[in-house]
Amino acid sequence: MLRMALSVLAALIVIFSLWESYKWMGQQTGDAWPGTSVELPVSTDDIIMPHAVDIVGELFADIRDGRATLPLIVFLAKKAWFTFQEAAIGFFLGSAIGLGLAILMLRWRFAERGLLPWINVSQTIPLIALAPIVVTWGRHQNLPDIASIALISTFLTFFPVAVSALRGLQSPTPEHVELMRSYAAPWWTTLVKLRLPSARPYLFPAFKIAATLSVVGAIVGEISIGTKTGLGRATLEFAQRYAVWPERLYASVIGSAFLGLTVFGLVTLVERRVLRRAEG
Amino acid sequence: MSTAIGGTTREHAVCIDSVDMAFNVGNDDEVQALSSIDLQIEQGEFVSLIGPSGCGKSTMLRLIGDLLTPTSGSVSVFGKPAHDARVDQDYGMVFQHPGLFDWRRVRANIELPLELHDWSKADRTDRSAEMLQLVKLDGFGEYYPRQLSGGMKQRVSIARALSFSPRLLLMDEPFGALDEMTREHMQGELLRIWKETGTTVVFVTHSIPESAFLSNRVVVLSARPGEVNSVIDVNLGERTPDTREDPKFFQTTTEIREALRAVEGAV
Ligand SMILES: Nc1ncnc2c1ncn2[C@@H]1O[C@H](COP(=O)(O)OP(=O)(O)OP(=O)(O)O)[C@@H](O)[C@H]1O
Ligand SMILES: [Mg+2]
């Protein structure tokens, strides 16, 4: 855990220094590569690239939230907590659905042939199109917006889990399957004692991808639904006022990245615990 | 024909009746693995199968264990169809590859069949400790398979097969990966268990002395398609370490070797 935190910090310092050196170089040369008149791909003025110190400083500057006034970092944390809840529901629901679909496809070959293409096609549906459908339907069912957003997040998370879980469940060698057969173990027992444990090395990478996607889904869901709160909503507002206050948008991006890192870290922690646990 | 434990009125432990076995029937890669096999094994007998590589020894064990279904003919085990014997858990199988679950500790691997047979936790622990001692792996119960050598893994897989005291043991080259001393020790242990429990053993091996030392009968198979070439009775009485130096032992190994030569020459 400490090592994880340290590596995040180290990465931040590297990005920070790269950012500032690039900006410094651009400022010296008037946004051209040194010694040439070739323009830099990204100009380095304070609107496009505010100083990293200013972005960090902005995190601790006050902002109005309704009637209260509070530091931006606290504001973002509050919004992130809301988004985290949506993402968490999306993650667990999506993982359960993904695992369920994988077991279904494992049990019945025709289900694999019938479902797998559709599972793949499902991911080409643009979220922008999906979101209003889900929201309108959700409001029709008197679902709170948080549920609709979680559903959009679910839609992203179930996919990597379904695909990897199927591969993992099919990964035991013929010898292992034969051994369980020699014990006359029923299908269900073979699933629990052999296939699920064998699937773990496939499942956890998928859970990590799903965790990150669940945050993406929740943020995109908030933006396309037009909720009152959440990190996505905050990002949208700051984006609209980017030209006057760029530091805030960058700060909210840092907030999203941090949320993504947090869920990723949580899954990694669970993975370590599960893999360390001996069976039987 | 010599039988170790009498009882001629009992049904055979294994009865293979004009069995043919082909893989991928109707395809270009069709293989005739076994052809018109007839073999009866009495209860309490120790029978070895020996023959050139690829002649169908593993296939024969799989047929007895109902892990494969013969193309024609029938296999019965203790008087019932092989399928019923498998469901009744009448046999324990030691595969050619140890096939341990690498996420389970050695102890938990040995307890796997017991777990599936709903043994209580306490009984399982007692039995696995006993089994670890038997295969000379006491102290390794909490290790993971990846921390063991090939021979140690194979001994775990033997312990796993013996753990629920099956009436029939099907063993596919179980000692192939062991050094000579451990091998002789395990042979002695296997004979001891066999005598004490009255189990029937069907044992696949590549080693002529091993087959002679262990068996009541040695079945020599020919290759492509696998057929029973000859069945050699072994009469060496009580096995002791001295048996291996007995002139009668050499006589037996010579007999097996000649039968094998005839078979290999025909390939
Ligand atoms: N699942 C399978 N599919 C197709 N062919 C198979 C299969 N299993 C075995 N065979 C074929 O059947 C024949 C007998 O194989 P088997 O494994 O029984 O031989 P074996 O006597 O045990 O050999 P070895 O001593 O090398 O272990 C071989 O020609 C093999 O290619
Ligand atoms: Mg074999």
Side-chain angles (χ1 to χ4, degrees), chain B residues 23-24 31-33 51-60 62 68 96 172-173 204 206 224:
Chain B
F23 290 102
N24 310 320
V31 184
Q32 185 71 32
S53 179
C55 71
K57 303 181 292 295
S58 300
T59 303
M60 201 139 133
R62 287 197 164 84
L68 289 173
Q96 202 164 350
D172 199 347
E173 298 182 36
V204 171
H206 274 139
R224 277 164 213 285

Side-chain angles (χ1 to χ4, degrees), chain B:
Chain B
M1 184 193 300
S2 86
T3 25
I5 300 165
T8 41
T9 53
R10 289 183 301 179
E11 70 264 347
H12 288 111
V14 178
C15 184
I16 302 177
D17 189 14
S18 39
V19 159
D20 287 310
M21 184 67 212
F23 290 102
N24 310 320
V25 179
N27 294 331
D28 293 345
D29 53 352
E30 177 170 335
V31 184
Q32 185 71 32
L34 291 171
S35 171
S36 43
I37 303 284
D38 279 296
L39 184 67
Q40 277 92 40
I41 298 171
E42 286 182 49
Q43 290 195 33
E45 240 192 317
F46 197 125
V47 172
S48 287
L49 306 178
I50 198 166
S53 179
C55 71
K57 303 181 292 295
S58 300
T59 303
M60 201 139 133
L61 281 194
R62 287 197 164 84
L63 285 167
I64 299 172
D66 185 44
L67 301 173
L68 289 173
T69 312
T71 322
S72 67
S74 72
V75 179
S76 62
V77 176
F78 297 116
K80 0 173 208 192
H83 173 267
D84 298 1
R86 177 171 63 85
V87 171
D88 292 347
Q89 293 290 278
D90 284 332
Y91 73 84
M93 179 95 125
V94 179
F95 291 90
Q96 202 164 350
H97 300 283
L100 304 177
F101 289 1
D102 52 15
W103 57 90
R104 281 176 170 249
R105 293 176 193 277
V106 164
R107 188 179 43 70
N109 263 291
I110 296 175
E111 290 175 16
L112 175 69
L114 310 179
E115 226 173 281
L116 298 175
H117 300 166
D118 289 326
W119 285 40
S120 78
K121 177 105 184 99
D123 290 349
R124 281 188 338 235
T125 314
D126 287 352
R127 177 52 66 93
S128 60
E130 216 174 288
M131 287 295 130
L132 279 168
Q133 216 160 20
L134 179 73
V135 297
K136 293 245 146 97
L137 283 175
D138 8 7
F140 286 96
E142 299 307 315
Y143 281 57
Y144 283 100
R146 68 180 121 78
Q147 296 167 303
L148 304 185
S149 73
M152 290 160 96
K153 282 186 213 160
Q154 191 57 288
R155 278 184 277 160
V156 175
S157 114
I158 292 167
R160 181 177 63 186
L162 290 174
S163 64
F164 59 103
S165 319
R167 299 160 74 194
L168 171 64
L169 263 177
L170 306 173
M171 308 180 88
D172 199 347
E173 298 182 36
F175 305 151
L178 305 183
D179 66 277
E180 202 56 33
M181 289 319 288
T182 317
R183 191 178 183 136
E184 288 190 3
H185 165 75
M186 291 298 299
Q187 289 170 355
E189 287 301 302
L190 180 59
L191 281 182
R192 185 178 62 72
I193 295 164
W194 169 66
K195 255 180 284 173
E196 277 174 13
T197 58
T199 323
T200 310
V201 183
V202 185
F203 190 95
V204 171
T205 179
H206 274 139
S207 157
I208 296 167
E210 182 169 78
S211 66
F213 185 75
L214 292 174
S215 328
N216 301 128
R217 281 193 293 157
V218 178
V219 177
V220 180
L221 296 172
S222 64
R224 277 164 213 285
E227 284 173 4
V228 176
N229 175 269
S230 48
V231 179
I232 295 161
D233 289 337
V234 182
N235 294 299
L236 295 171
E238 180 84 7
R239 305 312 201 259
T240 64
D242 292 337
T243 308
R244 294 179 204 275
E245 273 127 52
D246 190 332
K248 265 164 63 190
F249 181 71
F250 287 113
Q251 221 174 307
T252 312
T253 53
T254 308
E255 201 180 334
I256 300 169
R257 186 168 292 114
E258 273 164 10
L260 265 176
R261 267 208 198 115
V263 169
E264 306 253 14
V267 171

Side-chain angles (χ1 to χ4, degrees), chain A residues 7-51:
Chain A
S7 56
V8 169
L9 191 69
L12 276 178
I13 292 173
V14 170
I15 295 170
F16 193 101
S17 348
L18 283 176
W19 178 279
E20 282 301 323
S21 4
Y22 178 83
K23 185 173 166 80
W24 179 82
M25 181 183 81
Q27 298 290 300
Q28 298 301 308
T29 60
D31 280 351
W33 289 106
T36 69
S37 55
V38 183
E39 233 181 286
L40 288 177
V42 180
S43 68
T44 58
D45 62 72
D46 284 351
I47 292 294
I48 304 286
M49 286 183 75
H51 276 292

Side-chain angles (χ1 to χ4, degrees), chain A residues 118-166:
Chain A
W118 292 108
I119 289 177
N120 283 298
V121 163
S122 75
Q123 296 304 300
T124 64
I125 299 175
L127 278 186
I128 290 297
L130 187 75
I133 301 173
V134 172
V135 180
T136 315
W137 173 83
R139 291 193 177 140
H140 210 76
Q141 310 287 321
N142 283 323
L143 284 179
D145 280 357
I146 182 169
S148 304
I149 297 170
L151 276 182
I152 293 169
S153 167
T154 304
F155 183 76
L156 286 187
T157 50
F158 93 96
F159 177 71
V161 176
V163 173
S164 301
L166 181 60

